[in-house]
Amino acid sequence: MKDIIRVIGLNKSFTLSTKQQKLAKSREKVIHAVTDLSFTVEQGEIFGLLGPNGAGKTTTLRMLATLIKPDSGEAVLAGANVVSQPEIVRTKIGFLTSELKLEEFFTPNYLYNFFASLHGINPKLRDQRKRDLFEKFGINNFAEVKIANLSTGMKQKVSLAISLVHDPGIIIFDEPTNGLDVITAKVVTDYLIALRAQGKTILVSTHIFSLVEKICDRVGIIIKGSMAACGKLDDIRGGKTLEDRFFKIYSETMGVVV
Amino acid sequence: MKNIVMIIIKKELARFFGDKRLMLTAVLLPGMMIYLIYSFMGSTLSGLFKSDSDYRYTISTVNLPKSISTLTGDMAADFTAIDVGKIADAKIAIAEKKLDLLAVFPENFDVQVAAHNPASGETAPHVALYYNTTRTESSKAYNLLTTLLNTYESSLANKFDVNAGEDPFNLATKKDASGLLFSSMLPMLLMIFLFSGCMAVALEAIAGEKERGTIATMLITPVKRSELVMGKIIALAIVALISGSSSILGTLLSLPRFMSATKGMPTAFYGFVDYAMLAAVVLSTVLLFISMISIVSAYAKTVKEAQTSVMPLMIVVMLVGVTGMFSGTAQTETLYYFIPVYNSVQSMVGILSFNATATYISITVLVNLLLSVACGFVLTWMFNNEKIMFNK
């Protein structure tokens, strides 16, 4: 299979302000969020980045989505480099994360059309895809209600639909089921599986084991910004549950018993 | 590329015009408030100096001489002669605002005046006028009688006259007079209203979007940062202009009342070229304001922080605006028109006082536009900088 996402030796560190240092109770001025991270994602698979809070999952995804630049290393998505060709990368990916908010003043319908036009999609194709997506996520009932008046779950559904507005080949979702009830979460995971069936490549980050076990083909375990283990889901599990394997890998990496 | 900018402009305008409350606070309210405040101030001010036209002053006199009483016929006043013994009572009446004026002449005033020789060094005959400044009618009566007495005094030794007769001695044209009126007030008002209009929209649209995380959603689309910046600045300038024009309209409508100029609007003297030049200056100034405020608000983490950081800029603009009020005429040194903000004020003063030249206006507009473009580049750089855009 073809590697559609190639991440090679990615590094990212942040400088802490004095105030942040105090909060973190740390003397160190620089924190290394991601250290020498490499992995590949094959076309048409669902790859899961699994890791505890603060492991560097979101930072990695933000670098792949060109929101922030890596200090060193490179990442190539569908042939486009995140550092030298960010605008091309952005046409190839759909990115969903909780920090991307929708303007509360507008309705889902208006925002969908707005982002579709930013992607340069013609109105006919746009309306056709909008019908499908709105139907799939049950947005039709509140398509003309301002975002401000929607519930968390409804907002997440609209964000999801808008991230797919340009029918991207690569879909990068940061904690896709966070804040969703079990029924909505199932709609989302089912949709991810359906997207894979269409030949799309999906990269998700999560700390939920069941989600990884349910949908992922391969999984990478990130601990303290580095890849602790990466491979086929079954290989990683090695006959045990993912949870047990994760704790074992975590203790080995961190040198502590959990 | 143009298309994307248009899409962003359309969205920003939809955001603004779809929001009734924003429309009310940014467009309707400023104009209405200014109109109401100025009209109120105008009518209060004129009420302060104007008394009822049918009013007759009540004046008590002691020893009113013949020579003076023949002159008072034109005054709308009732004169009452009282005895010397009643002076104290009359003074109390004035203090209590029951009487307007008390005029005390010396006995045989006419004889004394005729006998007095200014060269002798003796004290001249003395007339005492008692009045009360806290009562408008009393002050007016005092002024009237003082003028009358002074005229009488100078008529006694009439050696020469100044400006006697009906000739129009003041040769200022009506056009120049109205030019002075507008060029002293309007530039300052314009600058303040335009700046606050820009502030009302730019802080919310950039710092607000950053604070709420909605700008990040735009940043992951293939849209170029420069297109996003252009779309934002143009849309904000349009809204700021509308907000500014509301304030300007309110000012223009209330100015005649404020200045108690009842004979129609003197703005009729300004021609098409004047308006076109003013529009060019205003437009370029708004663009500059918007881009400057945008930079400040892109740097801030929250709208509140942006509001605080933009204050120094606002104070500078206001102070520079005030300089236009006292300069009288526009600067004639070309160099001044290269100083941003100050050049706008001077250009406005020039246009409104009919002294503007095409060179100065062009320099001003060009400098403003170039600076706005430069700010646009800075803003694009900022939008590309993750430390600024994702600084929490």
Side-chain angles (χ1 to χ4, degrees):
Chain A
M1 284 292 249
K2 189 180 144 214
D3 292 341
I4 196 161
I5 301 177
R6 263 203 334 273
V7 179
I8 305 155
L10 222 48
N11 283 294
K12 183 73 188 178
S13 53
F14 297 104
T15 323
L16 291 182
S17 67
T18 328
K19 203 172 161 190
Q20 285 167 324
Q21 276 179 43
K22 257 185 202 152
L23 278 174
K25 288 183 180 138
S26 156
R27 284 276 174 82
E28 285 189 45
K29 269 204 116 97
V30 178
I31 50 161
H32 299 279
V34 173
T35 319
D36 195 25
L37 188 77
S38 304
F39 65 95
T40 56
V41 181
E42 287 168 13
Q43 173 132 35
E45 71 170 356
I46 299 182
F47 187 96
L49 275 181
L50 185 66
N53 292 333
K57 300 185 301 281
T58 303
T59 305
T60 307
L61 297 192
R62 284 171 74 186
M63 282 191 279
L64 296 185
T66 75
L67 273 185
I68 58 176
K69 294 183 186 75
D71 297 338
S72 65
E74 64 169 23
V76 180
L77 286 87
N81 191 303
V82 291
V83 179
S84 54
Q85 301 162 300
E87 271 139 28
I88 300 176
V89 171
R90 281 182 223 132
T91 63
K92 311 245 182 210
I93 61 164
F95 183 49
L96 180 71
T97 171
S98 58
E99 76 175 324
L100 301 182
K101 300 278 167 45
L102 297 173
E103 261 183 271
E104 304 228 306
F105 175 78
F106 293 111
T107 64
N109 192 29
Y110 182 93
L111 284 175
Y112 186 94
N113 291 348
F114 172 64
F115 282 102
S117 52
L118 286 187
H119 279 282
I121 295 159
N122 73 55
K124 207 178 146 201
L125 188 67
R126 175 194 76 196
D127 288 342
Q128 187 193 326
R129 284 188 52 72
K130 184 164 67 181
R131 247 195 322 276
D132 290 350
L133 284 166
F134 278 27
E135 169 102 41
K136 181 65 109 191
F137 298 120
I139 297 172
N140 284 321
N141 296 331
F142 50 85
E144 294 300 341
V145 179
K146 282 186 183 177
I147 300 286
N149 299 326
L150 299 182
S151 70
T152 315
M154 289 169 171
K155 279 183 199 160
Q156 179 82 342
K157 285 178 187 172
V158 177
S159 293
L160 202 69
I162 284 174
S163 69
L164 298 171
V165 78
H166 52 305
D167 197 16
I170 301 173
I171 292 146
I172 301 176
F173 281 178
D174 185 20
E175 312 276 7
T177 56
N178 257 22
L180 298 183
D181 62 67
V182 282
I183 297 163
T184 318
K186 186 173 170 4
V187 174
V188 172
T189 50
D190 286 351
Y191 191 69
L192 290 179
I193 291 167
L195 284 172
R196 174 174 59 186
Q198 290 171 28
K200 311 274 184 200
T201 309
I202 298 151
L203 172 60
V204 294
S205 83
T206 184
H207 57 262
I208 305 167
F209 298 109
S210 61
L211 180 70
V212 175
E213 290 190 301
K214 193 175 162 207
I215 64 171
C216 291
D217 301 298
R218 290 197 309 135
V219 60
I221 295 177
I222 296 190
I223 293 167
K224 283 195 84 177
S226 302
M227 195 63 90
C230 182
K232 284 219 161 64
L233 182 61
D234 289 335
D235 296 345
I236 295 279
R237 279 195 291 205
K240 296 182 183 165
T241 65
L242 185 61
E243 200 170 341
D244 288 343
R245 278 298 297 160
F246 176 80
F247 286 129
K248 187 146 191 311
I249 293 167
Y250 187 79
S251 331
E252 283 165 7
T253 317
M254 301 291 284
V256 289
V257 181
V258 187
Chain B
M1 142 121 195
K2 247 189 199 154
N3 195 16
I4 295 286
V5 176
M6 275 308 295
I7 292 167
I8 294 169
I9 293 175
K10 251 167 74 183
K11 186 215 86 178
E12 292 292 329
L13 293 182
R15 165 79 185 85
F16 183 76
F17 290 111
D19 194 337
K20 280 185 198 124
R21 211 187 304 179
L22 204 61
M23 282 284 281
L24 190 78
T25 52
V27 176
L28 271 174
L29 223 53
M32 259 169 54
M33 288 306 289
I34 287 161
Y35 179 76
L36 286 177
I37 290 171
Y38 275 36
S39 301
F40 178 72
M41 270 169 66
S43 52
T44 326
L45 274 179
S46 57
L48 210 59
F49 298 113
K50 194 179 74 186
S51 51
D52 205 341
S53 53
D54 293 336
Y55 185 81
R56 291 185 71 80
Y57 305 105
T58 51
I59 300 173
S60 293
T61 56
V62 178
N63 300 327
L64 183 67
K66 257 254 165 63
S67 55
I68 304 296
S69 70
T70 51
L71 293 173
T72 56
D74 290 343
M75 266 180 87
D78 296 323
F79 288 86
T80 321
I82 56 168
D83 292 338
V84 180
K86 292 270 178 71
I87 287 177
D89 291 343
K91 281 183 182 172
I92 291 167
I94 290 172
E96 289 173 350
K97 300 179 186 178
K98 284 173 189 155
L99 180 67
D100 292 331
L101 193 73
L102 168 67
V104 183
F105 292 86
E107 255 181 287
N108 306 319
F109 176 74
D110 291 339
V111 179
Q112 283 192 33
V113 168
H116 179 71
N117 179 8
S120 69
E122 288 166 29
T123 43
H126 178 246
V127 183
L129 299 180
Y130 298 95
Y131 67 110
N132 184 342
T133 43
T134 56
R135 181 168 157 82
T136 313
E137 288 79 4
S138 177
S139 294
K140 287 212 150 192
Y142 170 75
N143 287 335
L144 281 173
L145 205 61
T146 313
T147 315
L148 190 136
L149 289 172
N150 282 336
T151 316
Y152 175 68
E153 188 185 24
S154 47
S155 75
L156 288 177
N158 188 253
K159 304 266 184 175
F160 65 89
D161 286 326
V162 177
N163 277 0
E166 295 291 311
D167 245 13
F169 294 103
N170 181 359
L171 298 181
T173 58
K174 229 178 160 184
K175 184 176 162 178
D176 279 347
S178 71
L180 190 70
L181 177 82
F182 276 90
S183 65
S184 64
M185 284 284 282
L186 216 51
M188 179 195 65
L189 295 175
L190 269 170
M191 293 298 272
I192 293 171
F193 295 145
L194 289 178
F195 193 86
S196 37
C198 292
M199 237 173 71
V201 292
L203 294 179
E204 185 53 36
I206 296 196
E209 280 221 41
K210 201 178 140 188
E211 186 179 358
R212 291 189 298 271
T214 52
I215 209 155
T217 317
M218 302 271 286
L219 293 178
I220 55 147
T221 63
V223 170
K224 288 203 182 76
R225 307 316 200 220
S226 52
E227 293 171 336
L228 183 57
V229 166
M230 258 169 79
K232 281 253 178 207
I233 288 186
I234 295 171
L236 291 177
I238 292 173
V239 177
L241 267 181
I242 294 170
S243 163
S245 355
S246 151
S247 314
I248 294 161
L249 201 71
T251 315
L252 284 181
L253 288 178
S254 57
L255 261 184
R257 292 181 77 172
F258 184 60
M259 299 292 185
S260 314
T262 43
K263 288 171 195 165
M265 298 261 292
T267 43
F269 289 112
Y270 296 107
F272 174 76
V273 179
D274 300 313
Y275 282 115
M277 286 196 293
L278 193 63
V281 171
V282 165
L283 199 71
S284 65
T285 310
V286 163
L287 264 180
L288 182 64
F289 283 170
I290 283 284
S291 12
M292 289 196 303
I293 299 171
S294 295
I295 286 180
V296 173
S297 55
Y299 193 76
K301 287 174 201 142
T302 61
V303 176
K304 224 176 183 174
E305 195 190 316
Q307 269 166 351
T308 319
S309 341
V310 88
M311 273 305 146
L313 197 61
M314 176 159 187
I315 290 166
V316 169
V317 168
M318 279 171 77
L319 285 180
V320 174
V322 170
T323 63
M325 211 169 161
F326 302 111
S327 62
T329 51
Q331 296 283 3
T332 47
E333 189 69 54
T334 318
L335 213 62
Y336 284 113
Y337 291 86
F338 285 97
I339 307 171
V341 183
Y342 187 71
N343 60 6
S344 298
V345 176
Q346 287 306 315
S347 294
M348 287 174 191
V349 172
I351 293 166
L352 294 170
S353 60
F354 307 97
N355 290 319
T357 69
T359 325
Y360 295 154
I361 304 298
S362 316
I363 292 174
T364 303
V365 171
L366 213 67
V367 165
N368 285 348
L369 288 183
L370 281 177
L371 269 175
S372 307
V373 171
C375 287
F377 277 112
V378 173
L379 207 56
T380 307
W381 173 80
M382 292 174 90
F383 274 25
N384 262 318
N385 189 324
E386 63 190 57
K387 287 214 179 73
I388 292 171
M389 290 318 283
F390 299 105
N391 181 2
K392 289 268 162 78

